[in-house]
């Protein structure tokens, strides 16, 4: 197992390095006039080493005075991590629980309603879900106003004001995690139904075990490895959803600067801030790789075949 983990860590490091070379080398290749007198290879290597070894991403000149991108990143890193962690926790928890609940009640109308809702959240873009929630619940124009959970710029660190932290992050957590929850629910449901025909499941039924217990303790556990694999494959979509949700709900993470850096934010100059976009790409790559490593660790923990062989099966 140790060899397997070492390989995954090396692959993660290689991914970050290649992402950095692409982020900094592509602009030098496409716009060499912005770097007069600098060689393509040497300049790219200097940029990558400065960013990865010294966390020096340059300055963000879309703001007055070109503040340091490193300071902007440190100011928003915890909001990003809290948003991602909450979305992942909700997505996995609600998906697994919802899938097993529906599997134990296959013909119930409530289960079919939950499956239909999962399909809607799986297909609907997160910005549509977010803006719909604002139109329904945000004061002063919402149909059913919930001012405590729709107060812009009310975010506070959890140790400073736990209530403001929870009420400002609750809806972003739900919106970020909804597509993952829907996908996990549908996968868990399908695999549970398929597993119900196995001999050990039928034996549990023959012993008189309740249907909910049969699903929860016998049919559901074999689906967890596939759920972890789906979670790892969904990492890029989770990070992309964070970019949209932070803009819609004014979450003060580092990704909130994306639209400004692209020159698409109302009231800001329509110019592209390349250093900020490069730093955002690196931060997104770090989060995606980290989620992939978590998924790999979960698979190792859940699948004894990998622990024994040190490699994926099949």
């Amino acid at each position: 197992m140790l060899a397997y983990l070492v390989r995954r860590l090396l692959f993660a490091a290689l991914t970050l390095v290649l992402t950095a070379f692409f982020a900094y080398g592509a602009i030098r290749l496409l716009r060499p006039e912005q770097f007069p007198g600098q060689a393509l290879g040497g300049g790219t290597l200097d940029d990558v080493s400065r960013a990865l070894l010294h966390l020096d991403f340059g300055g963000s000149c879309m703001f007055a005075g070109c503040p340091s991108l490193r300071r902007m990143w440190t100011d928003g890193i915890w909001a990003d991590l809290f948003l991602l962690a909450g979305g992942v926790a909700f997505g996995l928890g609600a998906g697994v629980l919802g899938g097993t609940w529906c599997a134990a009640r296959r013909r119930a109308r409530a289960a079919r309603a939950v499956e239909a809702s999962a399909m809607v959240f799986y297909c609907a873009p997160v910005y549509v879900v977010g803006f719909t929630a604002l139109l329904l619940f945000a004061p002063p124009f919402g149909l059913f106003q919930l001012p405590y959970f729709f107060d812009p710029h009310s975010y506070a660190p959890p140790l400073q004001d736990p209530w403001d932290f929870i009420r400002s992050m609750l809806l972003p957590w739900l919106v970020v995690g909804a597509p993952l929850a829907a996908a996990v629910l549908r996968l868990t449901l399908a695999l549970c139904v398929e597993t119900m025909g196995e001999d050990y499941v039928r034996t549990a039924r023959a012993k008189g075990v309740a249907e909910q217990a049969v699903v929860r303790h016998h049919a559901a556990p074999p689906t967890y490895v596939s759920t972890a694999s789906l979670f790892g494959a969904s990492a890029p979509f989770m990070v992309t959803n964070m970019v949209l949700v932070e803009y819609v709900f004014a979450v003060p993470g580092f990704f909130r600067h994306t639209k400004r850096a692209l020159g698409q934010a109302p009231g800001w100059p329509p110019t592209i801030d390349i250093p900020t976009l490069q730093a955002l790409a690196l931060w997104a790559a770090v989060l995606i790789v980290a989620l992939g490593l978590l998924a790999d660790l979960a698979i190792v923990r859940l699948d004894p075949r990998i622990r024994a062989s040190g490699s994926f099966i099949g």
Side-chain angles (χ1 to χ4, degrees), residues 154-195:
S154 62
Y155 175 87
L159 297 180
Q160 176 181 329
D161 192 330
W163 169 243
D164 280 345
F165 172 75
I166 292 175
R167 73 188 182 94
S168 64
M169 295 294 287
L170 181 60
L171 192 63
W173 283 337
L174 298 180
V175 176
V176 167
L180 178 62
V184 171
L185 184 148
R186 293 177 60 82
L187 177 65
T188 302
L189 173 60
L191 294 178
C192 280
V193 172
E194 181 180 352
T195 309

Side-chain angles (χ1 to χ4, degrees), residues 4-98:
Y4 167 76
L5 294 177
V6 169
R7 288 199 303 270
R8 303 307 294 175
L9 288 173
L10 291 176
F11 178 76
L14 178 62
T15 301
L16 291 179
V17 171
L18 292 178
T19 302
F21 271 100
F22 178 79
Y24 289 98
I27 187 61
R28 287 180 173 271
L29 178 63
L30 298 176
R31 301 294 297 273
E33 69 276 5
Q34 295 188 5
F35 309 93
Q38 299 183 27
L40 173 62
T44 302
L45 184 60
D46 290 341
D47 290 341
V48 171
S49 61
R50 188 180 69 249
L52 296 183
L53 300 180
H54 306 285
L55 298 181
D56 181 6
F57 309 110
S60 177
C61 291
M62 63 181 176
F63 296 101
C66 295
S68 168
L69 278 168
R70 179 176 179 176
R71 181 175 62 81
M72 293 170 58
W73 172 65
T74 55
D75 289 342
I77 181 175
W78 287 110
D80 286 338
L81 294 177
F82 285 136
L83 178 60
L84 181 60
V88 168
F90 169 73
L92 293 178
V96 171
L97 292 176

Side-chain angles (χ1 to χ4, degrees), residues 1-5 7 299-313:
M1 186 178 74
L2 180 60
Y4 167 76
L5 294 177
R7 288 199 303 270
I299 293 173
V300 170
R301 177 67 180 83
L302 294 169
D303 195 336
R305 297 174 298 175
I306 297 178
R307 293 199 300 272
S309 64
S311 60
F312 278 113
I313 304 299

Side-chain angles (χ1 to χ4, degrees), residues 81-291:
L81 294 177
F82 285 136
L83 178 60
L84 181 60
V88 168
F90 169 73
L92 293 178
V96 171
L97 292 176
T100 54
W101 187 85
C102 292
R105 300 165 177 82
R106 288 293 298 136
R107 294 180 175 82
R109 292 183 179 179
R112 295 181 180 180
V114 171
E115 295 176 39
S117 300
M119 175 60 73
V120 172
F121 285 109
Y122 181 72
C123 296
V126 292
Y127 59 85
V128 173
V129 177
F131 278 120
T132 301
L134 292 176
L135 293 175
L136 288 176
F137 304 111
F141 48 79
L143 296 179
F144 310 97
Q145 298 182 11
L146 296 174
Y148 291 108
F149 300 100
F150 290 88
D151 186 8
H153 308 292
S154 62
Y155 175 87
L159 297 180
Q160 176 181 329
D161 192 330
W163 169 243
D164 280 345
F165 172 75
I166 292 175
R167 73 188 182 94
S168 64
M169 295 294 287
L170 181 60
L171 192 63
W173 283 337
L174 298 180
V175 176
V176 167
L180 178 62
V184 171
L185 184 148
R186 293 177 60 82
L187 177 65
T188 302
L189 173 60
L191 294 178
C192 280
V193 172
E194 181 180 352
T195 309
M196 296 295 274
E198 297 292 337
D199 292 339
Y200 62 90
V201 177
R202 292 190 297 173
T203 300
R205 279 176 167 170
K207 290 181 178 180
V209 180
E211 186 69 13
Q212 292 83 355
V214 169
V215 173
R216 187 169 57 252
H217 296 297
H218 299 279
T223 70
Y224 295 159
V225 174
S226 298
T227 298
S229 298
L230 176 63
F231 164 61
S234 302
F237 307 106
M238 292 289 294
V239 175
T240 302
N241 291 345
M242 287 175 58
V243 176
L244 301 172
V245 169
E246 286 190 4
Y247 179 77
V248 172
F249 294 101
V251 177
F254 187 47
F255 288 119
R256 74 184 187 276
H257 302 299
T258 303
K259 286 185 69 68
R260 294 174 184 171
L262 290 171
Q264 299 175 353
W268 290 80
T271 56
I272 298 178
D273 189 342
I274 293 176
T276 302
L277 291 177
Q278 291 169 330
L280 287 167
L282 279 181
W283 180 226
V286 169
L287 294 180
I288 292 171
V289 168
L291 291 179

